[in-house]
Structures are given as C-alpha cells and as structure tokens.
C-alpha cells in the first residue's frame, strides 16, 4: 500500500510499504478514506525528529471502512464506517473507566514512561504505524472505532478523531463562566475549533494569531481577533477589552513551537544537528520548549482564572514563572485529549445537518496522499491559506 513515511527533518515521502495485517485477535483492518494532517505532525516533522525512525508511517486522524476483523473485535463488522481516535485505548482498564483514555493502562508505553500509545507518533508513543496510508491496522477494535452513519461527507465526522475532542476538552478544562471571556491563543485547527465550540456554548471569545487567513477565518465566525504582530503586549490588549481584569480563561492552542521564543528555538535547532542517539537522550532530560504562548497565557488571564493547555509541550527544563502562577492563583489543566470521553457530547452536533460547528467547510485542502511532501511544507510555513489538510488515500 501507499503511505506517508518519515525520513528526517522536513523530509516526509510517499512510499510503498507492506499492507498491514491482523496480529492480535482484537485487531481490525480499515481502508482509509480520509486522514487529517495535524499540528502535532509538525512537531515530528521538525522538533521531535530524534524520537522518530526512518520509515515510520505518520498520521493519527483517520477514518474509513472496516475491511477485516479479528475474532475478538466485538460487534465491529466488515463494511462499518468508522472514525479512529488518535490514541489507542482498551475501554476497560481503570484509566479508561475514568474517561482518561490517553492514560490507558493496557497500551501505556511504559519503557518510555509515556501514556497511551498513539497512532503514528514516534518511539515515545509506541511507534504504532499511522493513518496517512491506504490501510490501517487498528488495535483494540472491540472498543476504539467510533461508528458513524453513511450519508454525510467524511469531513462531518473525520474530526472526531482529534480536532473536535481536543478542542472540546480544551474548552471544558477552561471552564469559562457563563458570562465570561475565553482567550484562545493560536488559530490553527485546534484553536479555531476551540473558539467555535466556546461560541456555540455562548461564551465571548478573543483569538490571537499572526497568520492573516487564520485571523479572517476566526473573525468570520464571530471571534474578536488580535493580530499578535500589531500589538505590543497581548495581555494589555486583552485587559483593555475585559474591563481591566483579563480573560477568565485561556486556551493555549500553540504548543512547543510558538513564535517569539528565540533562545529555545535555537536549542531545538541544535538537537536537529546532533547525533540522534545523543539528541534524544539529552532532549528527554534537558529539552526546552518555546514557551511564548504559555507566558502570554499567564500574563493575559485574570487573577483566579484558568489556563487550559492543548498545545503539546515536551521540555523537561522549561522555566515557568511559579511566582506569578502562584500569586495570580491560577488553575492549569492540560493533556492529550481523551477522545472517547467526549464523543457522546459532540456526536449530536456533527449529526445535526445544520452543522453548527462548520465541520464540512473546515478543511481548506483535500489532497491525494502523493501530495503529502508539499502539504507538510505548506502547512508548516502556513502558505497558500493552508489551515486544515485532509488526505484522500
Ligand atoms: N492535546 C491534544 O490532544 C492535541 C491534539 C491535537 C493537537 N494538539 C496540539 O495543539 C497545537 C495546535 O495544533 P494545530 O493543529 O492547531 O497547529 P498549528 O500549528 O496549525 O497552529 C498553531 C497556531 O499558533 C500560532 N502561533 C504561533 N505562535 C504563537 C504565539 N506565540 N501566540 C499565538 N499564536 C501563535 C500559529 O501561527 C498557528 O496558527 C499543537 O501543539 C498540537 O500538537 C494537541
Ligand atoms: Zn492531531
Ligand atoms: Zn484502557
């Protein structure tokens, strides 16, 4: 089959790889019809390279049609239309029962001290072949797949794999009071969808980015936008719009590659030119993130407010302003999204033909797998209006 594979920093290729096969009795094989490209893939493309292995199949936002099921795949049947969560989880362990599927005790990657295994996400998360491919082996098929009806286009459901539950969790964790204001940092797919969800829930939303098309897109849905290139201090700007106090809560949808952290950016680049064994080891102990967005969040949130981090961070030595966090009495909540925890809350919205979250027009680029190398480059550079790419294998 054809698959998108990782070969090095900013080097992804489309190659023929062996077809996946059933290995465990609770596996299934899914023929992929749509597969998203995510900001998390960009971390592998650039900063997390030391944890990747040449030939790793990328992708963790897939949906498709079940082609084959193992004998213990529960009620999953050949021909079912399914969306796959980005994390691999069993549904029956203690963590899954708490709704903490990203901590699944059946699939935790213990030799790396990581939570649940993820599709297409480096050695740190189990090196499981991903879904930017024609076919995908799905472990834990008795629980994982989200069955969706036939009829509406893929995009109505595809984002249940990651974008929707991630944004939903970000907003839930932000816990904005009913008459409150949510500040969303970063208006990529995750920030954009977080803003849509908060607006749908009746909150006021202020959004920050620096990419004109992304600001326009959010503005068109009712977000009050701030172009970070046009203000001196985002905190001051937010306070001027919120009676002097700041936002009740902030969603950080930027993550470790934030614009505006020159020192950490230099460190991250250094890891890319070091021998890989060395760089992975040092990065795990001494790596630092580009923290600009977190600092903005801490600055712009009101006293007693909440910061919800959905952007991915991976540094072990990040300087965090504990004094300010403590003095402002902030609550900090974070983590990979627990996809199945939120699916029942979101499903009614994507099943509604009025499409209140605008999932059908969310995708900006629908492309064949062969276009992956350019699509990764354009998405990283934020060129050509690229906000959400969906591959059609
Ligand atoms: N927690 C989860 O489960 C989960 C799931 C999916 C994605 N993510 C993470 O969410 C983050 C966003 O993902 P995405 O797909 O939207 O990616 P993206 O790269 O398209 O979006 C990031 C946006 O942040 C903007 N930005 C950069 N620096 C900024 C700053 N200092 N202040 C404000 N905005 C800034 C960029 O211009 C860009 O539009 C990534 O870190 C990704 O790994 C987390
Ligand atoms: Zn993702
Ligand atoms: Zn589990």
């Amino acid at each position: 089959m054809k698959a998108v594979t990782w070969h090095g920093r900013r080097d992804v290729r489309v190659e023929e790889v062996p077809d996946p096969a059933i290995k465990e009795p609770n596996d299934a094989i899914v023929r992929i019809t749509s597969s998203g490209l995510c900001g998390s893939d960009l971390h592998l493309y650039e900063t997390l390279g030391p944890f990747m292995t040449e030939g790793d199949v990328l992708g963790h936002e897939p949906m498709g049609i079940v082609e084959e099921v193992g004998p213990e795949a529960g009620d999953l049947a050949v021909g079912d239309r399914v969306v796959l969560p980005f994390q691999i989880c069993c549904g029956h362990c203690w963590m899954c029962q708490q709704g903490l599927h990203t901590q699944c005790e059946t699939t935790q990657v213990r030799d790396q001290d990581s939570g649940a295994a993820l599709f297409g996400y480096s050695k740190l998360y189990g090196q499981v072949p991903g879904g930017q491919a024609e076919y995908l082996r799905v472990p834990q098929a008795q629980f994982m797949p989200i069955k969706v009806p036939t009829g509406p286009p893929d995009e109505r459901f595809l984002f249940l794999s990651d974008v929707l539950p991630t944004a939903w969790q970000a907003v839930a964790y932000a816990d904005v009071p009913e008459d409150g204001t949510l500040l969303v940092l970063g208006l990529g797919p995750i920030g954009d969808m977080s803003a849509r969800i908060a607006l749908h829930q009746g909150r006021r939303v202020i959004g920050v980015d620096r990419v004109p098309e992304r600001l326009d897109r959010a503005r068109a849905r009712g977000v009050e936008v701030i172009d970070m290139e046009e203000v001196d201090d985002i905190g001051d700007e937010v306070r001027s719009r919120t009676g002097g106090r700041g936002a009740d809560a902030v969603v950080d949808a930027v993550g470790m590659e934030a614009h505006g952290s020159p020192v950490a950016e230099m460190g991250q680049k250094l890891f890319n030119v070091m021998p890989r064994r060395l760089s992975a080891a040092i990065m795990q102990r001494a790596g630092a993130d580009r923290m600009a967005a977190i600092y903005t969040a801490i600055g712009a949130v009101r006293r007693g407010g909440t910061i919800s981090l959905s952007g991915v961070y991976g540094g072990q030595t990040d300087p965090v302003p504990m004094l300010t966090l403590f003095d402002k009495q902030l609550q900090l909540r974070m983590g990979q999204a627990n996809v199945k925890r939120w699916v029942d809350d979101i499903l009614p919205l994507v099943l509604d033909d009025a499409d209140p979250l605008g999932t059908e027009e969310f995708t900006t680029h629908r492309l064949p797998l062969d276009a992956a190398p350019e699509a990764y480059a354009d998405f990283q550079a934020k060129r050509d209006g690229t906000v959400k790419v969906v591959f059609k294998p």
Side-chain angles (χ1 to χ4, degrees), residues 88-97 100-101 103-107 143:
I88 299 167
C89 52
C90 73
H92 56 72
C93 73
W94 190 86
M95 286 291 175
C96 282
Q97 279 173 8
L100 292 167
H101 302 95
Q103 316 301 330
C104 175
E105 288 169 335
T106 306
T107 75
F143 174 70

Coordinates of all heavy atoms in Angstrom, one line a residue, residues 88-97 100-101 103-107 143, ligand 3:
I88 N -4.6 5.0 21.3 CA -5.0 3.6 21.3 C -5.4 3.2 22.8 O -4.6 3.4 23.7 CB -3.9 2.7 20.8 CG1 -3.7 3.2 19.3 CG2 -4.3 1.3 20.8 CD1 -2.4 2.6 18.7
C89 N -6.6 2.8 23.0 CA -7.1 2.6 24.3 C -8.1 1.4 24.4 O -8.7 1.1 23.4 CB -7.7 3.8 24.9 SG -9.0 4.5 23.8
C90 N -8.2 0.8 25.5 CA -8.9 -0.5 25.6 C -10.3 -0.4 26.1 O -11.1 -1.2 25.8 CB -8.1 -1.4 26.6 SG -8.4 -0.9 28.4
G91 N -10.6 0.7 26.8 CA -12.0 0.9 27.2 C -12.4 0.2 28.5 O -13.4 0.5 29.1
H92 N -11.5 -0.7 29.0 CA -11.9 -1.4 30.2 C -11.0 -1.3 31.4 O -11.3 -1.7 32.5 CB -12.2 -2.9 29.9 CG -11.0 -3.6 29.3 ND1 -9.8 -3.9 30.0 CD2 -10.8 -4.0 28.0 CE1 -9.0 -4.5 29.2 NE2 -9.5 -4.5 28.0
C93 N -9.8 -0.7 31.2 CA -8.9 -0.6 32.3 C -9.4 0.5 33.2 O -10.3 1.3 32.9 CB -7.5 -0.3 31.8 SG -7.3 1.5 31.2
W94 N -8.7 0.7 34.4 CA -9.1 1.7 35.4 C -9.1 3.1 34.8 O -10.1 3.9 34.9 CB -8.2 1.6 36.6 CG -8.7 2.4 37.7 CD1 -9.6 2.0 38.7 CD2 -8.4 3.8 38.1 NE1 -9.8 3.0 39.6 CE2 -9.1 4.1 39.2 CE3 -7.5 4.7 37.5 CZ2 -9.0 5.4 39.8 CZ3 -7.4 6.0 38.0 CH2 -8.1 6.3 39.2
M95 N -8.0 3.4 34.1 CA -7.9 4.8 33.5 C -9.0 5.0 32.5 O -9.7 6.1 32.5 CB -6.6 5.0 32.8 CG -5.4 5.2 33.8 SD -5.5 6.7 34.7 CE -4.2 6.6 35.8
C96 N -9.3 4.1 31.6 CA -10.3 4.3 30.6 C -11.7 4.4 31.3 O -12.5 5.2 30.8 CB -10.4 3.1 29.6 SG -9.0 3.1 28.4
Q97 N -11.9 3.7 32.4 CA -13.1 3.9 33.1 C -13.3 5.2 33.7 O -14.4 5.7 33.9 CB -13.3 2.7 34.1 CG -13.8 1.5 33.4 CD -13.8 0.3 34.3 OE1 -13.6 0.4 35.5 NE2 -14.1 -0.9 33.7
L100 N -10.1 8.7 31.2 CA -8.7 9.2 30.9 C -8.1 8.2 29.9 O -7.1 7.6 30.2 CB -7.9 9.2 32.2 CG -8.4 10.3 33.2 CD1 -7.8 10.1 34.6 CD2 -8.1 11.7 32.7
H101 N -8.6 8.2 28.7 CA -8.2 7.3 27.7 C -6.8 7.5 27.2 O -6.1 6.5 26.8 CB -9.1 7.3 26.5 CG -10.6 7.0 26.9 ND1 -11.5 8.0 27.1 CD2 -11.2 5.8 27.0 CE1 -12.6 7.5 27.4 NE2 -12.5 6.1 27.4
Q103 N -4.4 7.8 29.1 CA -3.5 7.2 30.1 C -3.8 5.7 30.1 O -3.4 5.0 31.1 CB -3.8 7.8 31.5 CG -3.9 9.3 31.5 CD -2.7 10.0 31.0 OE1 -1.6 9.5 31.1 NE2 -2.8 11.2 30.4
C104 N -4.5 5.2 29.2 CA -4.9 3.7 29.1 C -3.8 2.8 29.7 O -2.7 2.8 29.2 CB -5.3 3.3 27.7 SG -5.6 1.5 27.6
E105 N -4.1 2.0 30.7 CA -3.1 1.1 31.3 C -2.8 -0.1 30.5 O -1.8 -0.8 30.7 CB -3.6 0.8 32.7 CG -3.5 2.0 33.6 CD -4.2 1.8 35.0 OE1 -5.1 1.0 35.1 OE2 -3.8 2.5 35.9
T106 N -3.7 -0.4 29.5 CA -3.4 -1.5 28.6 C -2.3 -1.1 27.6 O -1.5 -2.0 27.2 CB -4.7 -2.0 27.9 OG1 -5.6 -2.3 29.0 CG2 -4.5 -3.2 27.1
T107 N -2.4 0.1 27.1 CA -1.5 0.5 26.0 C -0.4 1.4 26.4 O 0.4 1.8 25.6 CB -2.3 1.1 24.8 OG1 -2.7 2.4 25.2 CG2 -3.5 0.3 24.5
F143 N -13.2 -1.8 21.0 CA -13.6 -0.6 21.7 C -13.4 0.7 20.9 O -14.2 1.7 21.0 CB -12.9 -0.5 23.1 CG -13.1 0.8 23.8 CD1 -14.4 1.1 24.4 CD2 -12.1 1.8 23.9 CE1 -14.6 2.3 25.0 CE2 -12.3 3.0 24.5 CZ -13.6 3.3 25.1
Ligands
LIG3 ZN1 -7.6 1.3 28.9

